[in-house]
Amino acid sequence: MFNRILNNKNFFKLLLVQLFLIFLSSCAQNSANKEINDPLESMNRSVFIFNQGLDKYILRPINTEYEKLPDNVKRSVSNHVTWASTPITIANSAIQLETENFSTSSIKFLLNSLTLGFYDLDPETKYKTRDFGSSLAKYNVSSGPYIVLPILGPRTLRHLSGNILEQSISNGPKNYSYNSTTLPMSILSNRNRYSNVIEDIYNSQDPYLKAKILYSENRFNSISSKKIIEKEKQNEQEEFEKLLD
């Protein structure tokens, strides 16, 4: 399977597109910034309300039934979803020149191919998840405006651009990343995994604002290196100390 991905012409075409976008971004702002530009807030809030209704009447009832499944079944589904998305991490680890993450994710993907990812044969080995949005951030492509999409939820323009590239790579019956079987499994697994967080958002005073803040924080932590995160924390601590003076 891994060889099929590497031999896929779309894979190399999209790598070239990615490199072209990186070239165009040479004058863009640095990505180590948790602030989100939200010029479309009115429209975003309307879409957010639509997504809330979709979750309330469809996803939440389904999750209630899914929650009744044995833990080992839910764990297997989650493992498969993670495994199916690993080729995206492998490709972007290469783009970002993260050799250790590239080798670790590649080896784990090949090993778990024996079980189609449903059983993790090497649970001790961890790697950092990477996507095309994080590659654009790595080379200082501006995050762009904040967007709330129907069903898909919050994104920045940069994050959305990466999703489009990923979907294009996955466009084919032999790719296991986003086929008709794995995508519903991903939706079910993620809704169940973040069930408490979602309920906490809906119970907050301003669910839209809380969702935006959580997305911003999580996305920043997922695409930033430890060095950038530590620097950001140091800056926040210095700002706090100034307030105390």
Side-chain angles (χ1 to χ4, degrees), residues 34-48:
K34 288 184 287 186
E35 296 296 326
I36 289 188
N37 180 27
D38 190 7
L40 305 173
E41 181 173 348
S42 179
M43 182 187 72
N44 285 338
R45 283 185 177 272
S46 297
V47 177
F48 182 81

Side-chain angles (χ1 to χ4, degrees), residues 2-245:
F2 188 62
N3 288 334
R4 287 204 300 269
I5 293 171
L6 292 180
N7 291 329
N8 191 324
K9 292 181 180 179
N10 288 334
F11 179 87
F12 290 102
K13 286 180 181 178
L14 289 162
L15 284 182
L16 291 176
V17 172
Q18 185 82 353
L19 293 173
F20 178 68
L21 289 172
I22 290 169
F23 173 75
L24 292 178
S25 70
S26 58
C27 297
Q29 66 187 30
N30 192 285
S31 63
N33 189 345
K34 288 184 287 186
E35 296 296 326
I36 289 188
N37 180 27
D38 190 7
L40 305 173
E41 181 173 348
S42 179
M43 182 187 72
N44 285 338
R45 283 185 177 272
S46 297
V47 177
F48 182 81
I49 292 172
F50 168 81
N51 287 343
Q52 274 188 297
L54 185 69
D55 182 79
K56 179 179 179 180
Y57 294 108
I58 298 179
L59 296 181
R60 182 188 286 172
I62 293 175
N63 181 66
T64 300
E65 297 303 315
Y66 182 78
E67 184 63 36
K68 298 176 183 177
L69 295 176
D71 288 341
N72 61 333
V73 173
K74 290 182 287 187
R75 189 180 307 112
S76 294
V77 172
S78 178
N79 288 341
H80 175 75
V81 170
T82 299
W83 170 80
S85 66
T86 305
I88 298 297
T89 286
I90 294 171
N92 286 282
S93 295
I95 291 172
Q96 298 178 38
L97 304 180
E98 296 180 343
T99 55
E100 182 177 351
N101 207 57
F102 173 81
S103 59
T104 301
S105 56
S106 298
I107 292 171
K108 186 160 185 173
F109 175 78
L110 291 172
L111 178 62
N112 285 338
S113 294
L114 298 173
T115 66
L116 290 181
F118 286 103
Y119 184 80
D120 190 349
L121 297 172
D122 187 16
E124 299 300 320
T125 299
K126 307 295 181 182
Y127 58 85
K128 185 87 171 179
T129 301
R130 296 300 186 199
D131 56 35
F132 285 109
S134 70
S135 289
L136 293 174
K138 169 82 172 183
Y139 293 98
N140 294 333
V141 172
S142 173
S143 62
Y146 179 73
I147 307 170
V148 180
L149 300 173
I151 303 174
L152 297 179
R155 295 288 190 277
T156 60
L157 183 58
R158 180 179 63 200
H159 190 182
L160 176 60
S161 299
N163 289 158
I164 294 172
L165 290 172
E166 292 161 10
Q167 183 62 40
S168 298
I169 280 185
S170 303
N171 186 22
K174 295 182 179 180
N175 190 286
Y176 288 87
S177 294
Y178 290 93
N179 62 26
S180 58
T181 301
T182 303
L183 184 56
M185 292 171 65
S186 177
I187 294 173
L188 281 173
S189 179
N190 288 331
R191 178 59 179 83
N192 182 258
R193 179 182 179 184
Y194 298 110
S195 180
N196 291 336
V197 176
I198 293 171
E199 295 302 324
D200 185 50
I201 289 173
Y202 290 167
N203 292 329
S204 64
Q205 185 174 2
D206 187 346
Y208 173 82
L209 180 59
K210 184 158 189 174
K212 183 167 66 171
I213 291 172
L214 286 176
Y215 168 81
S216 175
E217 293 284 345
N218 291 335
R219 186 63 184 167
F220 174 81
N221 291 333
S222 69
I223 68 177
S224 300
S225 65
K226 288 183 179 180
K227 185 176 180 180
I228 291 176
I229 293 174
E230 289 172 358
K231 182 178 180 181
E232 184 72 17
K233 288 181 178 179
Q234 182 180 353
N235 291 339
E236 290 177 352
Q237 180 64 29
E238 290 175 355
E239 290 296 326
F240 179 70
E241 290 175 354
K242 288 179 182 179
L243 292 174
L244 295 179
D245 291 341

